[in-house]
C-alpha cells in the first residue's frame, strides 16, 4: 500500500534550488518548528525534540525550536503553517481547530482493550490507506491535502478514561450532572451520552479547575496525568474502556516540504514514523509509571469489567450512541463519516482492539 507521503517522493524534484529560495517561511537548511505545549509533554519532549535531533544527525538540516506557545498558541497551528509563520508544527492539535479536521476525531470514538501502540499503528494505516471515502479521495486526500500541509500521525495518547478527584462511580446515577472536563467535541458527545455535565477546556487548564472543585473529574489518559501535574489530584479511575484516544499530527507546510530535496523528504518521512512509534512505547511506559505512583498514593483504579452490570451496560449504550451521533452529525454536513468509521473499526480490530457491543451491527446496516 503506497502512502500519500511516499507518493510525493516519486521521481526527482524539478527546480529544488529555485523552490528553496522562494518557497516557505525559511530556508530549507534551517526549519522553524513550534509546539504550543511545554517540553514535559509527551508530544514535545518525546516527538518534537527527538525528531529534530535525529534529523540534524541524519541530514544537513537544522531546526530552530519553540516551545510552550512562545511562538504559536494552542489551536493556531494550522494558521501558522498556512500563513508562513513557521515551517513545522508538532503537535498540530487538530481537535482544537473546530471544523478543520472533521474526520480526525474518529480516533476518539469509544473502543475497548486498546493502548497507545495499537491506536498509533491503526492511525498510521488510516492515513496510508488507499480506500476511497468520497469523490475518489482517501482519508489523507480528504482530510490533509486541501490544507496545503504534509502530515503524519503522532504517537496516540493512551486510552482516555474517566478520572475523578474523589467521587466513585458505582451506578449510572453517579454520572448524572457530574461536571467533568472534555477536551474536544466528540468527547463532549460521549460524556453527554453518559449523563455527565461536560466542561470543555484544554487539559492544561484543568489542574486549576480540579483544584478549585469547579470540575470533579476529567476525561484523560492516565499516562497524561504527569504531563499536567494531576497525579496527586486524581483519586479514582475507571480502566478497560477507552472513551477514545487523542491523535494529532506532526505537520509541515507544503511549501516548506517542497523546498526539501528528495533525500531529505525520504529521511523526514522515515524519521517521523519511527519517532511516532517510539513515542507510543514511551506513552505506555509512562502509563505504567504514573499508575504505580498514583496507586501507591491511594488512587483507586477500577476495571470496567468489575463494575456492576447496570453500569457496564450504561457505558456500552453511551458508547454506541456516540458512534451513531458522530457519524450521523458529520454525514448531515456532507462528510464521509460512516465509511471512515467502518475503515477505522476494521483497523482497530486488526490491532486487537474491540468495539463496544452494537457498533459492528450499526456499521453493517
Amino acid at each position: 500500500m503506497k502512502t500519500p507521503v511516499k507518493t510525493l517522493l516519486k521521481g526527482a524534484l524539478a527546480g529544488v534550488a529555485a523552490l528553496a529560495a522562494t518557497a516557505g517561511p525559511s530556508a530549507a537548511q534551517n526549519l522553524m518548528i513550534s509546539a504550543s505545549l511545554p517540553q514535559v509533554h509527551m508530544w514535545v519532549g518525546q516527538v518534537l525534540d527527538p525528531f529534530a535531533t535525529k534529523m540534524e544527525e541524519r541530514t544537513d538540516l537544522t531546526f530552530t525550536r519553540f516551545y510552550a506557545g512562545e511562538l504559536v498558541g494552542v489551536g493556531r497551528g494550522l494558521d501558522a503553517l498556512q500563513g508562513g509563520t513557521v515551517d513545522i508544527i508538532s503537535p498540530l492539535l487538530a481537535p482544537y481547530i473546530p471544523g478543520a479536521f472533521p474526520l480526525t476525531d474518529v480516533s476518539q470514538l469509544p473502543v475497548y482493550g486498546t493502548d497507545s501502540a495499537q491506536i498509533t499503528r491503526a492511525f498510521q494505516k488510516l492515513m496510508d490507506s488507499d480506500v476511497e471515502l468520497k469523490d475518489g479521495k482517501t482519508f489523507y486526500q480528504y482530510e490533509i491535502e486541501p490544507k496545503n500541509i504534509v502530515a503524519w500521525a503522532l504517537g496516540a495518547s493512551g486510552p482516555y478514561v474517566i478520572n475523578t478527584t474523589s467521587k466513585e462511580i458505582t451506578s449510572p446515577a453517579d454520572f448524572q450532572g457530574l461536571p467533568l472536563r472534555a477536551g474536544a467535541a466528540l468527547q463532549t458527545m460521549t460524556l453527554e451520552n453518559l449523563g455527565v455535565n461536560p466542561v470543555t477546556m484544554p487539559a492544561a487548564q484543568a489542574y486549576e479547575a480540579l483544584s478549585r472543585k469547579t470540575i470533579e473529574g476529567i476525561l484523560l489518559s492516565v499516562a497524561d496525568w504527569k504531563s499536567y501535574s494531576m497525579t496527586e489530584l486524581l483519586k479514582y479511575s475507571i480502566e478497560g474502556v477507552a472513551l477514545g484516544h487523542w491523535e494529532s499530527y506532526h505537520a509541515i507546510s507544503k511549501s516548506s516540504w517542497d523546498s526539501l530535496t528528495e533525500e531529505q523528504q525520504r529521511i523526514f518521512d522515515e524519521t517521523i514514523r519511527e519517532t511516532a512509534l517510539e513515542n507510543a512505547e514511551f506513552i505506555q511506559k509512562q502509563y505504567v509509571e504514573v499508575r504505580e505512583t498514583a496507586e501507591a498514593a491511594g488512587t483507586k483504579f477500577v476495571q470496567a469489567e468489575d463494575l456492576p452490570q447496570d453500569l457496564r451496560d450504561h457505558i456500552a449504550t453511551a458508547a454506541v450512541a456516540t458512534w451513531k451521533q458522530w457519524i450521523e452529525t458529520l454525514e448531515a454536513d456532507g462528510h464521509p463519516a460512516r465509511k471512515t468509521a467502518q475503515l477505522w473499526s476494521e483497523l482497530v480490530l486488526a490491532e486487537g482492539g474491540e468495539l463496544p457491543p452494537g457498533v459492528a451491527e450499526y456499521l453493517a446496516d
Side-chain angles (χ1 to χ4, degrees):
M1 195 179 297
K2 296 176 182 177
T3 76
V5 172
K6 288 182 179 177
T7 300
L8 290 172
L9 300 180
K10 279 187 171 182
L13 291 175
V16 168
L19 282 170
T22 60
S26 63
Q29 287 71 30
N30 182 271
L31 301 177
M32 295 171 63
I33 184 169
S34 175
S36 58
L37 302 174
Q39 278 182 287
V40 69
H41 194 277
M42 61 189 183
W43 279 342
V44 183
Q46 299 299 321
V47 178
L48 184 156
D49 279 332
F51 165 79
T53 298
K54 288 177 182 179
M55 286 293 292
E56 288 174 341
E57 293 170 349
R58 298 172 181 178
T59 71
D60 59 355
L61 296 171
T62 58
F63 294 80
T64 302
R65 312 176 194 191
F66 297 90
Y67 307 103
E70 60 184 342
L71 189 61
V72 180
V74 171
R76 306 303 300 174
L78 183 59
D79 288 342
L81 289 174
Q82 294 175 335
T85 303
V86 294
D87 298 285
I88 302 169
I89 291 288
S90 186
L92 176 64
L93 299 170
Y96 285 154
I97 311 174
F101 296 90
L103 302 181
T104 298
D105 281 354
V106 71
S107 71
Q108 295 184 28
L109 291 170
V111 289
Y112 288 37
T114 50
D115 58 30
S116 176
Q118 290 171 303
I119 296 299
T120 300
R121 290 192 297 266
F123 205 83
Q124 286 181 334
K125 292 173 184 176
L126 178 67
M127 296 185 73
D128 291 344
S129 173
D130 58 7
V131 173
E132 296 179 1
L133 301 179
K134 184 177 181 180
D135 299 331
K137 295 181 179 180
T138 65
F139 177 88
Y140 190 95
Q141 291 166 338
Y142 189 93
E143 193 81 341
I144 304 299
E145 285 186 358
K147 280 81 173 177
N148 287 318
I149 63 175
V150 182
W152 295 259
L154 297 173
S157 76
Y160 265 54
V161 296
I162 291 173
N163 315 282
T164 69
T165 54
S166 60
K167 185 177 180 64
E168 296 191 11
I169 310 298
T170 59
S171 73
D174 290 328
F175 280 127
Q176 299 306 309
L178 186 69
L180 291 181
R181 174 263 177 181
L186 198 148
Q187 292 180 352
T188 298
M189 287 184 190
T190 303
L191 293 182
E192 287 176 343
N193 287 325
L194 286 169
V196 165
N197 177 25
V199 180
T200 303
M201 66 176 68
Q205 298 176 10
Y207 179 90
E208 183 175 359
L210 288 165
S211 298
R212 294 185 175 185
K213 305 297 182 181
T214 304
I215 56 176
E216 293 188 34
I218 183 170
L219 193 61
L220 188 69
S221 163
V222 173
D224 284 340
W225 291 9
K226 182 177 181 180
S227 298
Y228 299 108
S229 303
M230 294 183 187
T231 307
E232 296 180 0
L233 283 178
L234 299 172
K235 296 301 179 183
Y236 179 84
S237 181
I238 299 176
E239 297 180 304
V241 53
L243 300 183
H245 291 255
W246 190 288
E247 253 293 12
S248 204
Y249 300 113
H250 178 93
I252 182 172
S253 69
K254 185 63 165 57
S255 59
S256 296
W257 175 256
D258 288 342
S259 75
L260 302 180
T261 67
E262 182 180 1
E263 179 67 3
Q264 288 169 338
Q265 288 182 349
R266 182 187 65 77
I267 296 173
F268 191 116
D269 176 76
E270 292 176 352
T271 301
I272 187 54
R273 288 172 181 272
E274 169 190 304
T275 305
L277 291 173
E278 291 172 350
N279 182 215
E281 294 175 2
F282 170 84
I283 290 168
Q284 292 183 189
K285 290 178 181 178
Q286 182 161 290
Y287 161 77
V288 173
E289 293 172 1
V290 171
R291 191 187 188 286
E292 289 177 348
T293 299
E295 193 168 34
T299 299
K300 183 176 182 179
F301 292 90
V302 178
Q303 296 299 315
E305 62 185 19
D306 295 330
L307 295 172
Q309 186 63 51
D310 63 337
L311 184 52
R312 297 205 305 271
D313 292 344
H314 179 72
I315 292 173
T317 299
V320 175
T322 299
W323 279 73
K324 293 179 179 179
Q325 185 178 354
W326 182 77
I327 290 169
E328 291 167 11
T329 298
L330 288 189
E331 287 282 340
D333 290 336
H335 301 299
R338 176 175 284 275
K339 286 188 176 180
T340 302
Q342 289 170 335
L343 176 57
W344 178 245
S345 69
E346 293 169 5
L347 295 171
V348 169
L349 290 171
E351 289 295 335
E354 300 177 13
L355 303 179
V359 168
E361 293 78 3
Y362 169 72
L363 293 176
D365 288 344

